[in-house]
Amino acid sequence: MKSFEANIKKVVPYTPGEQPQNKVIKLNTNENPYPPSKEVEKVLHNFDVDVLRLYPDPTIKELVDTIADYHGVDPEQVFAGVGSDEVLALSFLTFFHGKKPILFPKVTYSFYKVWADLYDIPYKCTELDENFVIEKEDFYEDNGGIIIPNPNAPTSLYMELSEIEDILKHNQDVVVIIDEAYIDYAKESALKLLDRYENLLVIRTFSKSRSMAGMRIGYGIGSKVLIKHLNNTKHSFNSYTLNAVSIQCGKASIEDDAYFKEMIARVIETREQVKIELKSLGFTVLDSSTNFLFVKHKEANAKKLFEALKAKDIYVRHWMDEPVSDYLRISIGTNEEMEKLIKFMKEYLN
Ligand code: PMP
């Protein structure tokens, strides 16, 4: 180590899924296989480049107002950012500032640990049961804040709203964040609980159900007091986060609700079909409420299967970490892509 490295912050970064630049069947980062709304395309087509001379609106008003209107909340309850990753990172920095450990599940979005380490936030991971179910009682102990994705990733499992509310009831003195990246493929959102819990922040993304991972748009909804603090942190870091193009495209996406709902239904239909087919091939498939499946084969080794798929240009996700090393996470693609996946599995398993 060079002497000047002594004062340098060392972190173990998050490892994103591969983004191969050649044409592959890409089922590894839970993107949407369908394009964004035609209204988004129109915005891009008609975009006045002169707008780019100026800084974008630091309050992101156009998009924030549209999101607020869509969810029936006050614009002062909405915070938008560059992907939900940015909203989450700023939330960790803002809300998890105490001395006690924050709590999140042991098997979950691996970025949580990275942010906690980056900001020197103490944390404790709660155990899941043998079926990867999050146990609400594990969140009753004294803590400095809570973050839970619902549905959880990579397990794909949904936690009932009554259980989330139970956790909130036991934790009214800390901020509780529910990361709803995949909620559009599930049942009820925790947004319903906002009126009762001022310490609740719900975070959403345009990357999955809105087919806009490349645009980087995410948002948080919470009480005015939480959003005020989040804005203060943002304006202590970078006031111009979302760019002018993203702001307009995000608005157009929200305004085309019919297309949005149709694409969600399509992905769910494919998911349910693929679930049946994988089960018939000897896979255990967790009961997904997301746009991906978390699967384990009764005989085939997960790492070898992952590599064999990759050799055929079918990308899925595999982690060597326990207790998920026997599993693959497979995003839902088009019907045609999933047929190719199933065809490969049949050949491979024979
Ligand atoms: N939360 C969860 C649970 C996720 O799986 C992801 C996607 N990697 C994100 C947040 C971040 O998504 P984005 O930054 O694209 O909004």
Side-chain angles (χ1 to χ4, degrees), residues 176-196:
V176 176
I177 301 177
I178 305 297
D179 177 354
E180 292 195 336
Y182 302 100
I183 195 68
D184 296 315
Y185 302 103
K187 254 163 80 180
E188 287 173 299
S189 161
L191 288 175
K192 277 199 179 152
L193 304 173
L194 280 177
D195 286 346
R196 268 171 280 161

Side-chain angles (χ1 to χ4, degrees), residues 111-124:
F111 224 140
Y112 298 163
K113 265 185 195 159
V114 177
W115 287 313
D117 286 337
L118 178 66
Y119 300 133
D120 297 319
I121 301 166
Y123 65 88
K124 185 176 165 189

Side-chain angles (χ1 to χ4, degrees), residues 14 29-30 82-86 88 109 112 149 151 153 179 181-182 204-208 213 216-218 329:
Y14 171 70
T29 50
N30 301 339
V82 183
S84 56
D85 279 342
E86 188 187 60
L88 286 161
Y109 187 29
Y112 298 163
D179 177 354
Y182 302 100
R204 297 274 190 99
T205 178
F206 278 52
S207 300
K208 320 292 177 186
R216 311 303 298 128
I217 308 175
R329 191 194 68 187

Side-chain angles (χ1 to χ4, degrees), residues 269-328:
E269 197 185 318
T270 307
R271 176 186 82 197
E272 294 309 306
Q273 187 57 38
V274 174
K275 203 190 274 182
I276 295 167
E277 292 183 62
L278 287 175
K279 278 184 181 167
S280 76
L281 292 174
F283 283 93
T284 302
V285 184
L286 270 64
D287 189 19
S288 171
S289 289
T290 62
N291 65 340
F292 59 87
L293 296 171
F294 200 50
V295 309
K296 172 175 127 172
H297 194 263
K298 61 181 193 297
E299 285 153 10
N301 174 280
K303 185 162 191 288
K304 285 190 182 144
L305 178 52
F306 164 79
E307 278 159 5
L309 282 159
K310 192 168 163 180
K312 291 282 177 208
D313 280 343
I314 302 175
Y315 282 56
V316 300
R317 197 91 198 256
H318 173 253
W319 291 270
M320 283 310 284
D321 313 339
E322 289 309 327
V324 299
S325 61
D326 291 340
Y327 285 79
L328 294 178

Side-chain angles (χ1 to χ4, degrees), residues 66-206:
T66 309
I67 292 169
D69 189 45
Y70 184 73
H71 289 296
V73 297
D74 191 288
E76 284 179 54
Q77 291 182 267
V78 178
F79 177 89
V82 183
S84 56
D85 279 342
E86 188 187 60
V87 182
L88 286 161
L90 289 172
S91 296
F92 270 63
L93 187 56
T94 310
F95 302 125
F96 298 155
H97 198 60
K99 300 246 178 327
K100 291 175 193 161
I102 61 162
L103 304 177
F104 51 81
K106 186 171 170 188
V107 177
T108 195
Y109 187 29
S110 55
F111 224 140
Y112 298 163
K113 265 185 195 159
V114 177
W115 287 313
D117 286 337
L118 178 66
Y119 300 133
D120 297 319
I121 301 166
Y123 65 88
K124 185 176 165 189
C125 296
T126 66
E127 293 294 328
L128 307 186
D129 80 1
E130 65 282 8
N131 300 314
F132 294 114
V133 171
I134 296 172
E135 297 185 286
K136 62 180 189 318
E137 294 79 8
D138 290 339
F139 294 87
Y140 292 175
E141 69 180 84
D142 209 16
N143 65 72
I146 289 173
I147 175 151
I148 301 173
N150 195 36
N152 194 11
T155 66
S156 77
L157 299 178
Y158 175 76
M159 192 177 201
E160 290 298 328
L161 212 50
S162 56
E163 306 220 331
I164 301 265
E165 178 154 23
D166 180 82
I167 291 172
L168 278 158
K169 273 190 189 142
H170 283 86
N171 290 281
Q172 309 215 18
D173 297 331
V174 293
V175 175
V176 176
I177 301 177
I178 305 297
D179 177 354
E180 292 195 336
Y182 302 100
I183 195 68
D184 296 315
Y185 302 103
K187 254 163 80 180
E188 287 173 299
S189 161
L191 288 175
K192 277 199 179 152
L193 304 173
L194 280 177
D195 286 346
R196 268 171 280 161
Y197 302 92
E198 266 196 299
N199 59 325
L200 166 65
L201 182 73
V202 178
I203 297 183
R204 297 274 190 99
T205 178
F206 278 52

